[in-house]
Amino acid sequence: MTAVVVDPYAPAPPSRRFLYRLNPLAKLAAPVPAMLALVFARDLTTPLVMLALAYAVLIVGARWTARSALLLLLALPAGAALLTAGMSLWVDAARVSGTPAVLQIGDWTLYAGALQIGAATGLRLGAIAALAFIAGLTTTGPDLVRASVQQLHVPYRVGYTALAAFRFVPRFRYELELIRQAHRVRGAHGGRGPFAAMARGSGYVVPLLAGAIRHAERVALAMDSRAFGAHPDRTERHLVPFRRRDVVFVVAFWLVSGAILIALFPWTG
């Protein structure tokens, strides 16, 4: 049975959702001012509104999959809740002793003020992560590299070398699965328990390193045969232009997030 390999850096399939038709740099630049402002916000309302804004953009403009739904509907709220609980325990009780007590265990008391500070921190970090997902869930690695090279004039030697390094990850995952199947067929390092798992893991190291060296040599030869780095510029097969729609998206997002921050002004008190 042949294993199915999914390349996370392959071009994304065409979609009618508008976020996939935007330049990656526009999706990165649009939420940056709001993310920076959230770092200094200390209230509860501002991160909640920014969180709602990020989710609204993702619902309308992104294609939801099982992975993205799990990330946005379960992992992100759970992470914010854990941060809320953790930060509430770290708050100095003397600072919030004037607020009502929420929970008391022996001599230890959890005050409402500490819970509010923890919730503000958890929601703030959750909102920043949700805003970052606008670009992260709708952008592929090659498109981001192409946009950086074409619009930001990042040297293509840097961009495409980093992209080639990132593409090693799915290749290693595929080779590791092949090595596991070969060991399973031969009955090597069978059994259960931590020692058997350690023996199996140590048996994967040498063949995986050998495969990595062979793959690196093939990539180096392929890049050298294409005269990679021989000239200061290179011709791009796929263009990622910065269109009028990208400018409209960035300006509209800045205006909406700016209006939210001006209306709430979370820096008073």
Side-chain angles (χ1 to χ4, degrees):
M1 184 177 179
T2 305
V4 179
V5 182
V6 179
D7 187 358
Y9 302 101
S15 176
R16 295 182 179 179
R17 301 298 181 96
F18 75 91
L19 283 177
Y20 298 95
R21 299 195 296 270
L22 295 176
N23 189 288
L25 298 180
K27 291 180 284 187
L28 286 173
V32 164
M35 294 166 68
L36 293 176
L38 283 172
V39 173
F40 303 99
R42 293 296 180 267
D43 65 334
L44 292 173
T45 307
T46 302
L48 277 174
V49 175
M50 289 297 182
L51 194 63
L53 175 62
Y55 271 71
V57 173
L58 288 170
I59 290 172
V60 174
R63 182 177 59 253
W64 282 61
T65 61
R67 181 180 179 183
S68 60
L70 181 66
L71 179 65
L72 293 171
L73 300 180
L74 183 61
L76 186 60
L82 288 175
L83 284 170
T84 298
M87 292 298 174
S88 300
L89 299 177
W90 278 93
V91 175
D92 186 8
R95 294 178 52 192
V96 294
S97 58
T99 59
V102 177
L103 179 65
Q104 188 169 4
I105 302 176
D107 295 334
W108 177 79
T109 303
L110 176 63
Y111 293 97
L115 191 61
Q116 181 178 355
I117 294 174
T121 304
L123 287 173
R124 185 166 67 249
L125 295 177
I128 292 174
L131 290 170
F133 288 150
I134 293 176
L137 294 177
T138 60
T139 303
T140 61
D143 283 343
L144 180 60
V145 170
R146 294 184 187 112
S148 300
V149 172
Q150 294 170 25
Q151 274 84 48
L152 298 182
H153 303 289
V154 174
Y156 75 91
R157 299 178 183 86
V158 176
Y160 285 94
T161 301
L163 183 61
F166 281 124
R167 289 183 67 91
F168 274 53
V169 177
R171 179 68 184 182
F172 287 165
R173 187 183 300 117
Y174 173 70
E175 291 191 358
L176 179 60
E177 184 60 29
L178 290 181
I179 294 170
R180 286 176 175 171
Q181 292 177 2
H183 282 209
R184 196 177 298 117
V185 169
R186 296 169 185 170
H189 304 296
R192 298 180 179 179
F195 294 103
M198 291 174 60
R200 284 193 297 269
S202 61
Y204 300 152
V205 173
V206 175
L208 189 61
L209 285 176
I213 293 172
R214 287 195 299 268
H215 182 63
E217 290 178 347
R218 287 194 293 267
V219 171
L221 289 173
M223 296 173 74
D224 191 46
S225 64
R226 290 168 174 79
F228 184 83
H231 302 281
D233 299 315
R234 69 187 301 272
T235 303
E236 294 287 346
R237 181 181 179 185
H238 300 284
L239 297 178
V240 185
F242 202 91
R243 303 184 181 91
R244 186 178 302 173
R245 69 181 72 163
D246 303 304
V247 178
V248 171
F249 175 73
V250 172
V251 173
F253 203 98
W254 285 356
L255 290 176
V256 172
S257 57
I260 292 172
L261 293 171
I262 292 174
L264 299 176
F265 205 76
W267 302 286
T268 57

